[in-house]
Amino acid sequence: MDGDEGAGAHRGDGDGAPAAPDGITRHEGSSGAAGGSEEGSEMIDVELASDANLVVAIARWHQPALAEAYRRHGGAVHALSRRIIRSDPSAEEITQEVFLDLWQHPEKFDAQRGTLRSFLLARTHGKSVDLIRAETSRRRREDRTTRETATAGYDLEHQVWDMAVAEQVKDALVALPDELRQPIQLAYFGGHTYREVAEMLGAPEGTVKSRIRVGLGRLRVNLAERGVAPAGVES
Amino acid sequence: MTGTPVGPTESEIEELLGAYALDALEPDERALVEAHLETCPRCAAEVAQHHEVAGLLANSGGAAPGELWDRIAERLDTPAAPSWDRLAARLQVPDGARDGLADAGGDPADRLPASPAATGPEEAVAEIVPIDRARRPGRLATVVVSIVAAAAALAAVVLGVQVHHLNHQVSALSTSHQTVTQAAQAALEDPTTQRVQLTPTATSTAPRGATVTLVMARSGTGFVIAQGLQALPAEETYQLWGSVGGQLISLGVLGSDPGVSTFTFDSVAKAQAYAITAERSGGSVQPTHPPLVEGSVQA
């Protein structure tokens, strides 16, 4: 296998190979490969492959497919991790781990459950949160919680916007009442547990817990109303 | 989910799903939810929905840092040899199962490599095995799918793969079809035989109701009882595969319109998981298409 393909190394070689029925385009006629129409080990054009087919190719140890998955989603993975950890070296380490995990265990992605991006981001979130919870001693965590309680108002106004999310997503989030929006933001971007969130907002734990769930459901509706349909899930 | 009064109720667990999706639970609650998700597709679907919504919140633009990819690429342990063995290592296989396998085919050239490490970097194998030993049995089927799919790309690899072309046997037996059916019937009624149900995979093109039952007698004779599989074009055939000792092995070519047929297997090194693919007439050394039906031995 060609081990040193960089991200996007195959870009622009458009030989116009027709898409195979499964959506993976095969290079026909390149180097006169035997049996170009046969199923098997031919190259896929990763640029044109769906995310799900990229994962199938990754399961076949096709390194350019992982490079393409990284090109498509690496930026989001890295940005989310950096947003939560607030440390560049750690965020880079997490980004590497997320894609190395995909390389080793592509079977953990279930295309019927959701998109590759949300799968990667959920893993990124989990790893990032684990890291800050492990790194932060109990004492420092309490300090941090206290400090952020003081600045929660300011943070909440800013932490979404610097994620450069799409306008409709911002709209959908802003359309949530504060009491539903704040717990989601503190948990998701701040990496806080719902108990910490409850403390920060001075609300009962059970209330915060259920507001996160209700808020996510409402957000989904808001997104749908703005034409942003979370893909790959059915109700 | 009624019954044991211990632990939280289902609705209490449902209340945790949003916080779970945002990794905002304490470890003990997280474990509770994860255990519940294993058995509750509805809650698992809700979590997937929350993940999609959360993923949109994080939907930051920005290009992926190129130098970071270089560092990832350095750490990819792509084996120099095709990675069939490492993929196969994802299956749960008792170590002892590898040994008796040479008896199954008879041809010494078809022997398996002595260990998974024979074709790949050792630490990579070590990385995979412990994780997958922890895998719950229910996941095995998924892994078989990915293995068979992965194998489809590796036509050049013939590590320990044996093809039993049963065409001649099948045609010889088909003259006495009644006899095969009767023998299969007798095997079904024999309590000492082992059964494995193969059902359509999630991505299968086989009819949803299709089932294939494998009935295996201790003698090493097995019966394939196929119900609901469509007839293939004449130039194609169904082929039965077993995963033995970490390798996918052809257990027989079943013809284009299987009803009841027989196969032989090694009763010492029996496969843990089975799958049927559609292949070109005459069969393949390795599966070249994803499985249509598959199933694994119930513990």
Side-chain angles (χ1 to χ4, degrees), chain B residues 62-157:
Chain B
E67 78 285 352
L68 198 45
W69 167 254
D70 295 339
R71 278 150 58 192
I72 293 169
E74 276 169 23
R75 291 168 67 180
L76 298 182
D77 48 0
T78 313
S83 50
W84 168 250
D85 209 34
R86 282 176 15 130
L87 282 167
R90 291 176 182 180
L91 281 171
Q92 285 179 310
V93 179
D95 289 338
R98 295 177 180 279
D99 296 328
L101 191 65
D103 301 334
D107 184 350
D110 288 338
R111 282 190 74 99
L112 292 176
S115 84
T119 55
E122 209 150 352
E123 80 276 15
V125 173
E127 235 173 67
I128 287 174
V129 172
I131 292 169
D132 289 297
R133 286 208 175 127
R135 197 182 289 282
R136 286 167 288 276
R139 297 245 175 127
L140 187 58
T142 316
V143 179
V144 174
V145 175
S146 63
I147 284 178
V148 177
L154 300 172
V157 189

Side-chain angles (χ1 to χ4, degrees), chain A residues 10-16 27 45 47:
Chain A
H10 282 308
R11 311 189 68 177
D13 64 351
D15 58 4
H27 289 263
D45 189 336
E47 294 263 314

Side-chain angles (χ1 to χ4, degrees), chain A residues 118-139:
Chain A
S118 73
F119 169 79
L120 293 173
L121 289 173
R123 300 188 77 81
T124 303
H125 193 270
K127 283 174 183 291
S128 303
V129 164
D130 285 349
L131 184 79
I132 56 173
R133 288 180 194 163
E135 269 184 356
T136 316
S137 70
R138 188 193 191 92
R139 168 85 193 161

Side-chain angles (χ1 to χ4, degrees), chain A residues 153-199:
Chain A
Y154 174 84
D155 273 2
L156 287 173
E157 293 314 310
H158 289 79
Q159 57 197 347
V160 177
W161 316 138
D162 64 11
M163 289 296 288
V165 295
E167 282 301 321
Q168 301 97 314
V169 178
K170 286 181 195 173
D171 288 350
L173 196 50
V174 169
L176 284 182
D178 284 355
E179 71 267 18
L180 294 183
R181 192 186 75 232
Q182 289 176 346
I184 291 175
Q185 289 178 236
L186 288 168
Y188 192 65
F189 295 114
H192 296 287
T193 65
Y194 77 87
R195 285 184 186 158
E196 291 170 336
V197 171
E199 190 186 334

Side-chain angles (χ1 to χ4, degrees), chain A residues 41 60-61 63 70 92 96 104 107 114-115 117-118 125-126 133 163 165 194-195 209-210 213, chain B residues 14-16 22-24 26 29 46 52 57 59 65 68 71 75 77-78 83 86 90 135 149 153:
Chain A
S41 57
R60 298 169 181 173
W61 305 97
Q63 196 167 312
Y70 176 80
E92 291 185 358
Q96 293 184 51
Q104 292 292 350
E107 76 280 2
T115 60
R117 175 170 288 224
S118 73
H125 193 270
R133 288 180 194 163
M163 289 296 288
V165 295
Y194 77 87
R195 285 184 186 158
K209 178 171 68 179
S210 81
R213 182 174 181 225
Chain B
E14 283 175 2
E15 276 297 289
L16 296 170
L22 300 188
D23 301 302
E26 302 294 331
E29 294 168 318
E46 181 180 328
E52 292 295 326
L57 290 180
N59 200 353
L68 198 45
R71 278 150 58 192
R75 291 168 67 180
D77 48 0
T78 313
S83 50
R86 282 176 15 130
R90 291 176 182 180
R135 197 182 289 282

